Amino acid sequence: MEDYKLLIDLHKGANRQGPGGDAETEKAINLAMLDRTAPLKIADIGSGTGASTILLARLLNARITAVDFLQEFLEVLEGRAKNIGLSEKITTLVCSMDNLPFGDEEYDVIWSEGAIYNIGFEKGVMDWNRYLKIGGLLVVSEITWITASRPSELQNYWAGEYPEIDVASSKINILEKNGFSPIGYFVLPEHCWLDNYYRPMQNNFKNFLNRNGNSEGARTIVEAENREIELYEKYKNHYSYGVYIARKLG
Ligand SMILES: C[S@@+](CC[C@H](N)C(=O)[O-])C[C@H]1O[C@@H](n2cnc3c(N)ncnc32)[C@H](O)[C@@H]1O
């Protein structure tokens, strides 16, 4: 729990907790061909402090359930939604993504940016399928190799962090095998990682360490983040987040 406290402290003041961007969220809305006027019921799973939730609420005529297992993130999301007058469109739910209380075919859209890896892409795709209406849309970003081979230093790092990392064709195959028809895919550009996520986090490291008395736990987190950033800067031509858009088949 101590680790979670530190991670919450590091991330909760940030606009987002993973790579992404408003323009890219809107691009996914467009690729999904979502009707901006139709009333939609959306679950945003692993919403964090709500970067995507807020944009979905702004752009769509939707009721959105923002799910995260960290209440502190959802409290920030609620504050943000209130400040811009979007509270009525957003409900928060503190819950683990592998134990969702949703009914079968309850949602028009399941959205999840930078979060499905917590239970694994294949498990998430299989489990979440039943919450979607037939014809409903799954929009999910997932760490993805964007080259066919890569240096062993990078391969070994991600084998430890997330062994399910793979090329887009494999991810698309998983969608096809689990009742979805893929209708779109794109790769998050570099600014989604550096400008929108890593740089703001790095700018916060000094204050984070001071706030936490330069504790060993805090230093370990900063070291791990710096290692991840260093690898991204060195090998960014080999991986990114892929954004996958798929329609549930009947
Ligand atoms: C990398 S962050 C992405 C957050 C947000 N979607 C964004 O793009 O800014 C992953 C999020 O998933 C949440 N999370 C991790 N494991 C979870 C679980 N088992 N159930 C629900 N949420 C979880 C974390 O608290 C965090 O907010």
Side-chain angles (χ1 to χ4, degrees):
M1 208 55 216
E2 190 55 32
D3 262 5
Y4 276 127
K5 272 197 192 145
L6 287 170
L7 285 170
I8 292 164
D9 182 50
L10 178 63
H11 290 288
K12 87 170 183 181
N15 180 43
R16 53 185 322 122
Q17 286 71 42
D22 282 0
E24 290 69 25
T25 297
E26 186 163 7
K27 181 172 177 171
I29 290 174
N30 291 335
L31 281 175
M33 293 180 284
L34 294 179
D35 179 343
R36 295 188 184 211
T37 60
L40 295 173
K41 194 166 172 183
I42 302 181
D44 186 357
I45 302 179
S47 63
T49 62
S52 54
T53 318
I54 301 276
L55 194 72
L56 292 168
R58 265 186 36 219
L59 297 181
L60 300 171
N61 177 20
R63 300 259 156 205
I64 305 165
T65 306
V67 182
D68 205 283
F69 76 162
L70 295 178
Q71 181 165 5
E72 290 85 347
F73 285 172
L74 294 177
E75 282 166 5
V76 175
L77 190 162
E78 283 165 8
R80 292 170 83 180
K82 193 164 173 225
N83 283 342
I84 50 175
L86 288 171
S87 292
E88 282 201 358
K89 298 175 92 173
I90 299 171
T91 306
T92 59
L93 175 67
V94 181
C95 183
S96 182
M97 61 176 79
D98 59 1
N99 189 26
L100 295 164
F102 302 153
D104 289 355
E105 300 186 14
E106 189 178 336
Y107 285 91
D108 298 290
V109 180
I110 290 183
W111 203 276
S112 184
E113 294 195 14
I116 197 170
Y117 72 89
N118 287 292
I119 55 170
F121 184 80
E122 184 151 25
K123 178 173 166 52
V125 166
M126 286 168 75
D127 287 2
W128 299 350
N129 179 304
R130 70 182 182 88
Y131 307 130
L132 274 175
K133 293 176 186 166
I134 290 168
L137 288 150
L138 177 69
V139 180
V140 62
S141 71
E142 163 78 343
I143 192 108
T144 299
W145 294 130
I146 56 174
T147 52
S149 62
R150 68 281 324 173
S152 59
E153 182 189 23
L154 181 66
Q155 184 87 38
N156 293 340
Y157 174 82
W158 280 105
E161 292 296 315
Y162 185 52
E164 265 192 65
I165 185 170
D166 212 335
V167 290
S169 49
S170 298
K171 300 289 170 187
I172 286 171
N173 190 245
I174 288 171
L175 289 164
E176 288 166 343
K177 276 193 323 199
N178 287 285
F180 288 97
S181 173
I183 62 170
Y185 161 71
F186 67 96
V187 174
L188 287 187
E190 187 180 321
H191 71 88
C192 288
W193 293 75
L194 294 178
D195 302 342
N196 298 355
Y197 180 53
Y198 283 151
R199 296 295 178 244
M201 177 165 50
Q202 285 179 307
N203 291 338
N204 187 24
F205 281 160
K206 203 166 158 216
N207 286 339
F208 168 71
L209 289 169
N210 285 339
R211 269 199 309 277
N212 291 286
N214 209 29
S215 70
E216 194 187 333
R219 280 184 283 119
T220 303
I221 288 177
V222 168
E223 273 164 32
E225 298 288 7
N226 271 331
R227 171 78 179 135
E228 189 187 304
I229 295 167
E230 187 195 327
L231 276 174
Y232 177 74
E233 286 175 332
K234 194 166 168 191
Y235 294 123
K236 61 193 173 204
N237 291 337
H238 291 282
Y239 67 104
S240 186
Y241 270 90
V243 181
Y244 299 84
I245 299 133
R247 188 179 297 285
K248 176 173 168 170
L249 296 167

